[in-house]
Amino acid sequence: MTYPEPPLREPDLPRTAKVRPVALRTGWTTGACATAAAKAAVTALLTGVPQREVEIGLPAGRRVTFPVARCDLTARPGPTAEAVVVKDAGDDPDVTHGAHLTATVGWRPRPGLDLAGGPGVGTVTRPGLGLAVGGPAINDTPRRMIGQAVAEVVDLTEVGVRVVISVPDGEVMARKTTNRRLGIVGGISILGTTGIVRPFSTASWRASVVQAVHVMAAQGQRTVVLCTGGRTERAARALLPELPEVCFVEVGDFTGAAVTAAVGDAMTGVVFVGMAGKLAKLAAGILMTHYTRSKVDLSLLGAVTAEAGGDADLVAAVVAANTGRHAYELWEAAGLLRPAGDLLCGRVRQVLRRFAGPALTVDVAMVDFTGDHLVASSGRWPA
């Protein structure tokens, strides 16, 4: 069935996703903290003097100073130095806030930098991350930052240095991240493109969604399942048990970014699994659905109600509903949840097909608010 086509919109999120009386405090990435620890340890190794603070350069050229929480020297069996910088993530809700980024350094016989991951730093086990399989999960920008910082202390064309980055309790922290799904095991990733953590950053969340699509593409998968959160992912897995874990991507509000990445990676199919509120926004053509940039179009839900056979009183009640969930409950009470939900899923399918173009097949499913039951679909899962 074809519906009136809403304009497609993908609004951007504000720099901070919460209204506060003062600006949110920025913090430092794991990559910046690891760089500072590495430079402090190499400086101590060279000078024999434990460092209490250290200055590094960020990718954009800014110079910043970090306090060094601990810096120790050991003479035997060979001279080594170890420095710790504690991560301050600012006001970002980051699981690595307070992590002790630790660099252990020593001389090596050949010139150049040998960078390795120690305990608490994840190991890459799958392709698609831009890192060598079997190597440490230290991304390109932190690698460059560490190399440049060490080169400020010693001439790497003449001197060899081995740097091992470790994070006490990093494996525990990693359980609260998507690392395992991406094929990073045993610890956290050393990340950061700017060295700065900007709280509630659109760019960082969108980037994680896009990266997840790239990882599944690199493993030869061609169907991506987009879920809005943990409950919808659980429902999606029950609907599609034949698909491997890597195919399921929690997009949050960034459906448009995920679909764009899927098209770019030559995916052939996309499945969207969500609840009534997000589906209502998508049906209205809104591809970035954060509450600060979009709201549920209740008139659209009223039109769906009428098309599903609802009487005038029900249509009026849905149009006056408080939320998408309230409209869902009105449909359920009237015995129209399945037909109205199917129509809503059909509208979302039409929007996503327009946005993606002809390259992708699209299926849409709506689940209840527990994530335990399928309540409607665009046709793949009939009543």
Side-chain angles (χ1 to χ4, degrees):
M1 185 176 294
T2 302
Y3 309 99
E5 293 187 345
L8 301 179
R9 297 190 293 120
E10 193 175 2
D12 199 8
L13 198 64
R15 192 176 80 80
T16 59
K18 293 184 177 180
V19 176
R20 297 194 180 196
V22 294
L24 292 172
R25 191 169 60 88
T26 59
W28 306 112
T29 63
T30 50
C33 295
T35 299
K39 184 175 180 182
V42 172
T43 303
L45 182 66
L46 179 68
T47 64
V49 178
Q51 303 296 295
R52 295 292 169 252
E53 65 177 24
V54 64
E55 182 186 272
I56 65 166
L58 300 182
R62 177 182 168 190
R63 306 287 298 184
V64 293
T65 300
F66 288 80
V68 179
R70 177 173 63 80
C71 188
D72 301 320
L73 289 155
T74 303
R76 295 179 180 179
T80 62
E82 186 169 275
V84 176
V85 170
V86 179
K87 177 174 175 177
D88 178 2
D91 286 326
D92 194 63
D94 190 325
V95 299
T96 60
H97 177 72
H100 285 58
L101 276 295
T102 305
T104 306
V105 306
W107 304 121
R108 63 192 292 257
R110 294 186 304 278
L113 174 65
D114 177 22
L115 179 61
V121 172
T123 298
V124 178
T125 65
R126 294 177 182 171
L129 293 169
L131 297 171
V133 173
I138 304 175
N139 281 17
D140 283 346
T141 299
R143 287 173 183 268
R144 288 194 297 271
M145 290 174 64
I146 291 169
Q148 291 166 2
V150 171
E152 291 179 358
V153 181
V154 296
D155 185 349
L156 290 173
T157 64
E158 297 182 357
V159 176
V161 178
R162 176 173 171 80
V163 176
V164 179
I165 303 297
S166 58
V167 184
D169 299 321
E171 188 168 3
V172 175
M173 295 173 193
R175 295 173 190 167
K176 299 179 181 179
T177 74
T178 60
N179 274 10
R180 184 177 63 84
R181 179 169 307 170
L182 297 177
I184 299 170
V185 299
I188 66 168
S189 303
I190 306 301
L191 301 172
T193 56
T194 64
I196 302 170
V197 172
R198 300 194 183 281
F200 304 103
S201 165
T202 303
S204 62
W205 183 265
R206 184 186 288 125
S208 70
V209 169
V210 171
Q211 183 184 57
V213 175
H214 291 339
V215 167
M216 62 158 290
Q219 295 178 56
Q221 301 297 327
R222 288 294 171 261
T223 297
V224 58
V225 185
L226 308 180
C227 318
T228 55
R231 287 172 293 169
T232 53
E233 181 176 343
R234 186 173 69 247
R237 286 171 181 267
L239 290 172
L240 297 160
E242 71 278 10
L243 293 180
E245 182 183 49
V246 73
C247 292
F248 297 85
V249 178
E250 287 193 20
V251 295
D253 294 304
F254 297 107
T255 301
V259 172
T260 298
V263 172
D265 283 341
M267 297 288 107
T268 58
V270 60
V271 179
F272 185 91
V273 181
M275 298 177 184
K278 283 286 196 295
L279 290 172
K281 291 182 179 183
L282 288 168
I286 302 168
L287 280 303
M288 201 292 288
T289 53
H290 194 273
Y291 75 96
T292 64
R293 285 298 185 262
S294 62
K295 61 182 181 179
V296 172
D297 184 348
L298 292 167
S299 64
L300 181 150
L301 296 183
V304 168
T305 305
E307 188 177 353
D311 60 23
D313 288 343
L314 181 59
V315 170
V318 168
V319 170
N322 293 324
T323 62
R325 180 168 186 157
H326 186 195
Y328 171 104
E329 292 168 349
L330 291 169
W331 289 343
E332 188 173 35
L336 286 180
L337 182 56
R338 183 75 204 214
D342 285 351
L343 290 168
L344 180 61
C345 289
R347 288 182 180 238
V348 174
R349 180 174 183 265
Q350 181 177 310
V351 165
L352 294 181
R353 289 182 68 182
R354 284 175 56 209
F355 186 74
L360 284 176
T361 63
V362 178
D363 293 291
V364 179
M366 180 165 73
V367 298
D368 67 5
F369 291 97
T370 67
D372 292 333
H373 303 288
L374 172 77
V375 297
S377 81
S378 59
R380 180 165 178 171
W381 297 277

